[in-house]
Each structure stands twice: as C-alpha cells, then as structure tokens.
Amino acid sequence: MTQKLLSLILILCCFLMNVQAQSFLGINTGNYAGVTGVMLQPASIVDSRYKFDINLISSGVNYSNNYFLVDRNAILKFNKNNFSDYQSFKANYLSVRNLSAGEKVFFNINNRTQVPLSFMATLGKKSAIAVNIQSRSKIQGRGISGDLASMAYNGFYFPPLNNTSIDASGIAIQSLNWVEVGLTYGRVLYSSKKHFVKSAFTYKYLAGIASLNLNTNDVRMVVNIDSSSNYNNGNFNNDIKEN
C-alpha cells in the first residue's frame, strides 16, 4: 500500500498543474470583495458597497515548485482540446528546467475553499458582521530526486530510466486539511468629511480533518517498462490521521 501511495502522490503532483485556479488575492482586495474580503482584512466589511453579500462557493489553488514549468498560454490562449489528457497538455504547455548537480525537487500546494452560506451583512451606517466558513488544505514535498521527478513528468514511462535503480531516499511529504469558521464584527470608530477609522475583529474556530506524513530513508526503486514499480532496501515512515 505504501508503494502505491508514493507513486500516486508523485503522479498527482504532475497532474495538479491542470487545476490552477484564480487566487483570492485578485478578489479580496477590491471594494466589492464582500464576505471574501475578511480573509485578508476583516475591517473591509465595514462601509462595504454591499448591504448583504452571500457566497455560493469560491475556491483558490496555488502551486509552486522548482522543476515543472507551465507556459502562460495555458491561460492566455486557452484551448480545451489541449486539456483532453495529460499527454496533450504536456506537449503544449509543460516543460522542465535543468537541475543543478545534487539539487532536489520541491513542491507546495495550497487550497482555500469558501463554502456556501458564508455571508456578510451591514448593520447600519457604522457596523457590519460576517460569517466565513472555509476548508483549507496544504501539501508540501521535499527531497525528490531529479530522476524520480523526471519519471513522474513522463507518466512513469521513460525508457532512459525504466528498469533502472532510482534513488528515492530523503523524500518528505506532509499534508494537512482543516476547517475554519470565523465570526467577524466591525465598526467605524471615527468619521469626518475627509477621514474615517474603522476596526474589526474575527473570532475563529479551527477543526482538523486529516493529516499525512510520509518519509523515506535509504529507498531505491525501479520503475518497470510497464510502469509498475519495485522498491528495494527501503524504509518508509508514514502517519495518516483522520478526525
């Protein structure tokens, strides 16, 4: 099961390049951010352009790494035919950078989803409240060898490395998923013709959902030509928790 888990995570890191989404930073700084604005600035709901704002669903995904490169035309010149499968997406939009000697691959994935019924409401000219419910996820990986990253990039079918022993030691992958429920109250403290001061606070409840910790020590793997894999002389430490 551990072998399948490691392969699945590495493939997932490659395919997640397909699911880039707009960051909330493009939304929650505007005058019309509504309830989304409390993520960055709780006081934004005071003196809002809205009397009432309710969220149906919003989600933002950020992905960063030091190996896979995505052509900006994946967004600027979007063509749905190039997203039909991984191979077509890879041929049109993906490339890789050359790693320096001994350099390891890392990646970070962050997701924030604002769930339905999050809302803000103006209580008058000087105050407002908001309820913000979010699901948060974070996945990070460190210590992935260049050969192993290259195999993942090529869908684990890469003849120069198939049937070859690959170093998979020193990999560390952590994942955490939790829920945030925030209650915000804000009020205008001072107002004049040219200036005003407003303040807000948020009471937040956090609830853990699941976590994953995976570490490898002295592991070598062989990916066969049929994409199956064998692990030799390996030591896996994993910790999976669900609440």
Side-chain angles (χ1 to χ4, degrees):
M1 179 177 179
T2 304
Q3 298 174 359
K4 293 181 179 180
L5 179 61
L6 176 60
S7 298
L8 177 62
I9 291 173
L10 291 172
I11 295 172
L12 179 64
C13 296
C14 211
F15 276 85
L16 274 170
M17 302 301 291
N18 288 339
V19 295
Q20 294 287 343
Q22 184 181 14
S23 169
F24 279 117
L25 290 177
I27 302 173
N28 58 13
T29 57
N31 291 329
Y32 295 89
V35 66
T36 305
V38 299
M39 299 179 188
L40 184 65
Q41 173 52 271
S44 66
I45 62 172
V46 184
D47 192 42
S48 172
R49 302 301 187 271
Y50 300 120
K51 291 186 178 296
F52 181 80
D53 178 49
I54 188 169
N55 174 71
L56 296 181
I57 189 167
S58 305
S59 186
V61 178
N62 294 317
Y63 179 88
S64 62
N65 76 104
N66 65 334
Y67 184 66
F68 298 107
L69 305 175
V70 182
D71 194 308
R72 68 181 63 186
N73 287 328
I75 297 176
L76 299 179
K77 297 182 180 180
F78 177 82
N79 184 340
K80 64 179 182 179
N81 294 326
N82 294 335
F83 286 77
S84 58
D85 55 44
Y86 173 67
Q87 293 302 325
S88 61
F89 181 80
K90 171 188 168 186
N92 288 282
Y93 300 123
L94 285 184
S95 60
V96 297
R97 61 177 285 267
N98 294 322
L99 300 173
S100 58
E103 183 179 3
K104 299 291 187 176
V105 175
F106 69 83
F107 67 88
N108 300 287
I109 306 167
N110 295 284
N111 171 257
R112 181 197 294 259
T113 298
Q114 192 176 37
V115 305
L117 302 183
S118 296
F119 72 92
M120 62 141 290
T122 299
L123 301 180
K125 294 182 179 181
K126 293 187 176 183
S127 61
I129 61 170
V131 174
N132 187 28
I133 309 172
Q134 303 177 71
S135 172
R136 304 283 303 275
S137 299
K138 180 178 180 64
I139 306 173
Q140 67 175 22
R142 299 290 186 272
I144 302 170
S145 69
D147 286 345
L148 190 53
S150 181
M151 288 297 295
Y153 173 71
N154 289 284
F156 288 91
Y157 179 78
F158 188 47
L161 291 176
N162 284 122
N163 300 322
T164 301
S165 180
I166 297 174
D167 184 15
S169 302
I171 297 176
I173 296 176
Q174 292 87 35
S175 174
L176 181 64
N177 175 240
W178 71 99
V179 170
E180 297 181 358
V181 180
L183 174 61
T184 301
Y185 174 80
R187 185 173 181 82
V188 175
L189 302 179
Y190 169 80
S191 179
S192 66
K193 291 183 179 180
K194 294 184 178 181
H195 308 284
F196 76 97
V197 177
K198 58 184 179 179
S199 178
F201 70 89
T202 297
Y203 173 81
K204 187 174 291 187
Y205 172 76
L206 305 180
I209 302 299
S211 65
L212 163 70
N213 289 281
L214 173 66
N215 297 276
T216 64
N217 180 31
D218 191 24
V219 175
R220 301 198 68 85
M221 64 181 293
V222 176
V223 181
N224 303 312
I225 201 70
D226 62 356
S227 296
S228 63
S229 59
N230 300 320
Y231 298 82
N232 301 313
N233 302 324
N235 181 21
F236 291 87
N237 297 313
N238 62 80
D239 182 17
I240 302 175
K241 296 181 179 180
E242 294 184 3
N243 292 333

